[in-house]
Amino acid sequence: MHPVVPETGTGALSLPQVRFFNPGLAPLYGSEDDERCSFTPAGLPFTGAAARACLHELASLAETFGNSRDLVVFALDNEKAQDHAHKHAGQQELADLEAFVAAGGGSFAPAASHEPLMKNPLVEAQKTLLLAYSLEESVSELETLQSRYESSLASMGDLLGAERDADLQELAGLAGAPSALEGRGTDMMRLSWRVVLDNMAVFLPEGTVLVTDDGGMKDVLAAMEETAALDTQEAAALCSAWDDSALAAAGRLMKVQAPLWRILGHGRVPEGRDWQQTVFTVVFGAES
């Protein structure tokens, strides 16, 4: 969902016209006219300020959880969400916001206290994607902070002539300074790619070609019987901008064309999730 450094990306994500899914927030990279910017689909129940307010309420709720795993469970389990709503007043604001969106942004009537949360598939899907977007952004921010800290420490060592971390530690004012920050963004629990893709598919227009660089997803796709190498002719049929030079820059690519329920690993279409019958083409880079 986030292009970390799209201009210097490699593999499938560097293909022309690949856009990154945005669950209704303002684009963070480039302008709306930039082909590398985020793709915001039509039909989102939360748009603009409402999406930001929803994300704010989710962030406020996150403070009531001990770790990101509990928050993920909350987002995916409606019964647990209702139990949590009875214990924490912050959930009431989110329920009120959902009621406002469900009413089409018209007259606002706050949800009654302890009223069961709505099971509007569009609202639930976007709320899940907003959470996934926020968690992914936090991972990126923590990784950037870690990298900058290590780089700054190394630069300071070069300037002061310290060849080892131990030498740097002995300098006045730096005693006790860690050589790296504790923890990494990659240690954070994020939503499974299956959950993200399932909810993302609710809003994708017909004929969308999916492109991924997620390691776990690529492992699953590579093992599917529908997997095949993507040749130049097939690539051009999927996207006219995917010519020989684009494919050469991206490296060896694979494709899978299958119903979403197969891609997600189900034996059949789950009840109430008819959109999983949609056939998608997924392009990903082959491991060298």
Side-chain angles (χ1 to χ4, degrees):
M1 298 174 77
H2 280 85
V4 179
V5 187
E7 296 81 2
T8 59
T10 58
L13 291 182
S14 66
L15 288 168
Q17 297 187 18
V18 171
R19 303 173 74 189
F20 297 83
F21 190 95
N22 187 312
L25 300 171
L28 294 178
Y29 304 90
S31 68
E32 293 185 1
D33 296 326
D34 185 348
E35 68 173 14
R36 298 297 301 178
C37 79
S38 301
F39 163 71
T40 304
L44 293 171
F46 295 98
T47 58
R52 287 189 292 273
C54 179
L55 187 56
H56 173 74
E57 293 302 333
L58 286 171
S60 298
L61 283 170
E63 297 176 0
T64 69
F65 293 91
N67 55 56
S68 60
R69 182 181 297 274
D70 294 335
L71 180 58
V72 169
V73 171
F74 164 81
L76 302 180
D77 192 321
N78 196 53
E79 292 184 4
K80 290 184 182 295
Q82 292 184 40
D83 292 340
H84 194 81
H86 298 167
K87 299 176 183 178
H88 300 279
Q91 177 60 19
Q92 186 62 41
E93 282 72 18
L94 185 55
D96 291 344
L97 181 61
E98 291 181 358
F100 176 72
V101 171
S107 57
F108 175 65
S113 180
H114 304 332
E115 179 180 337
L117 298 180
M118 295 176 295
K119 290 294 288 183
N120 182 325
L122 296 182
V123 169
E124 293 299 317
Q126 188 179 6
K127 188 170 66 173
T128 300
L129 291 171
L130 285 167
L131 173 60
Y133 191 92
S134 179
L135 289 172
E136 191 175 283
E137 189 171 78
S138 296
V139 169
S140 178
E141 289 175 349
L142 287 174
E143 285 298 288
T144 299
L145 180 61
Q146 178 76 270
S147 177
R148 288 179 177 174
Y149 180 86
E150 293 174 359
S151 177
S152 297
L153 206 60
S155 296
M156 184 177 296
D158 292 340
L159 290 172
L160 298 176
E163 298 180 357
R164 302 172 303 157
D165 289 341
D167 296 332
L168 197 59
Q169 291 279 342
E170 294 176 0
L171 296 174
L174 292 179
S179 59
L181 299 178
E182 291 187 10
R184 301 198 70 92
T186 49
D187 295 334
M188 292 181 60
M189 181 182 178
R190 289 172 285 176
L191 293 180
S192 162
W193 67 263
R194 290 182 171 86
V195 173
V196 174
L197 178 57
D198 184 23
N199 288 279
M200 190 183 291
V202 177
F203 303 107
L204 294 177
E206 185 177 355
T208 298
V209 176
L210 303 174
V211 179
T212 184
D213 195 37
D214 181 276
M217 184 175 180
K218 291 198 298 183
D219 289 342
V220 171
L221 295 176
M224 292 181 64
E225 60 184 22
E226 295 89 346
T227 301
L230 181 69
D231 60 34
T232 304
Q233 185 176 357
E234 291 172 323
L238 294 175
C239 178
S240 60
W242 294 358
D243 54 20
D244 290 344
S245 61
L247 296 182
R252 193 163 72 93
L253 299 175
M254 308 296 288
K255 74 174 180 72
V256 169
Q257 191 171 49
L260 182 60
W261 62 269
R262 283 271 297 123
I263 295 173
L264 296 176
H266 298 306
R268 57 182 175 79
V269 179
E271 183 179 354
R273 307 190 84 78
D274 294 342
W275 61 84
Q276 289 192 14
Q277 299 182 57
T278 304
V279 175
F280 282 101
T281 297
V282 187
V283 175
F284 62 100
E287 297 295 336
S288 56

